Amino acid sequence: MATSLPERNETQYYFGAGPAQLPKPVIIQLSKDIVNINNQGIGIGEISHRSKLAQDIIDNTRENLYKLLSNNGNIDIEDVKKHYDVFFLQGGGTTGFSSIPLNFKKFNQVQNKKGGYVISGSWSLKSYQEAKRLGCDVVPLYNDKEVNGEFKGSYTGDYEALLSKHDDLSYVYVCENETVNGIEYDQSLKELAKVCQQRNIELISDLSSDIFSREINIFDYGVIMAGAQKNIGIAGLTLYIVKKSILANIKASGSIDELPIAFDWNLQNDNNSCYNTIPMVPLHTLNLVFENLLSAGGISAQEKINVEKAEKLYAVLDKYSLEGDNEKKFVKLTVSKQFRSKMNVVFNLKTTDLENDFVKKAEAKGFSAIKGHRSVGGIRVSIYNAVKLEAVESLIKFIEEFAEQL
Ligand code: PMP
């Protein structure tokens, strides 16, 4: 077996939807720390999660996360800490789908309330279905596929009118970026957050595929849940940011007997995320990603780059859109402009044969992992934080060359 680190070909452009590419400094530091962390003579995956070193890393990760949430000091960090707890559980997004309704179940029973789901793509649909399967009292508030025949965006009407049809909601659940369908909320989420606050409803968001890609106002949310393996790390861990008042309310109502102990938010939160063994490699990776983000100017700096990447890529796709008047039309964009994802750019080409040809030629040029999700087909270019502007520009050049050959 090898005794030194391999080289990594920087001309290889990876656009995978997750697990996804990590920033190079992170992956190099991680590799070193897997061998020997802090000169302890042992690697990060080998130490006890209860050791002083591991506890310091957990605390430091949380601290860095609070810093990121403060949006470069524009939000008072002490205020965030006062109102929100942060904990990490083994798992991914899917474990979040189960843990959210189960933690709310007893509270909802006691209060005679339910969870409302805005369904804007595959993941919010799966989350709703899981809550239902677990016997939780949940209701779909809106389903874009039922309205538009396929997922094209999310609700565009008046949220006040939508929520006023349900006076028994404890939470409204959204998936802020639908990774499979390429649908991401725009400013309308702010409107939803405002109406939720007015109606005393908690907004719960799955941010698995766009967390820290753009600034958010944490005070808009009751719960944020995110699997780590796209924008902020590697698989194995779910991040939860939960309002302290929600944890207190859930504690006061007690939990259902069937709540799996490892999913018990209050138990995990009270035990510094260490009621059971927290996977330290993913946790440490998260911290390295946070440090890298902070040292590069925080989320606002990253957001600017992300906006530029997405705008440039959509511009070339629009140029060749079947709906445009370019003589070389071959791109089909189904997501409504308002909800275009800045993380997962999803599109089809005129025919499946053309798509196959596109993928083959792209791969030959070193652009990999651009095939659409198996459930929807087509092309999906994921341009998470770690994907450089230069990679997107190279892909754009390839698209132009591909168009030339048609
Ligand atoms: N939510 C979103 C937005 C996702 O993209 C995914 C897929 N990674 C999930 C949830 C499910 O995550 P996991 O595979 O970690 O269970």
Side-chain angles (χ1 to χ4, degrees), residues 91-95 97 123 175 177-179 206 208-209 227 229-230:
T94 310
T95 45
F97 297 169
W123 292 117
C175 173
N177 183 64
E178 288 283 359
T179 324
D206 173 1
S208 294
S209 54
Q229 71 269 26
K230 291 159 203 297

Side-chain angles (χ1 to χ4, degrees), residues 23 97 133 151 185 237 385:
F97 297 169
R133 193 186 69 81
F151 288 119
Y185 278 82
L237 202 71
N385 287 359

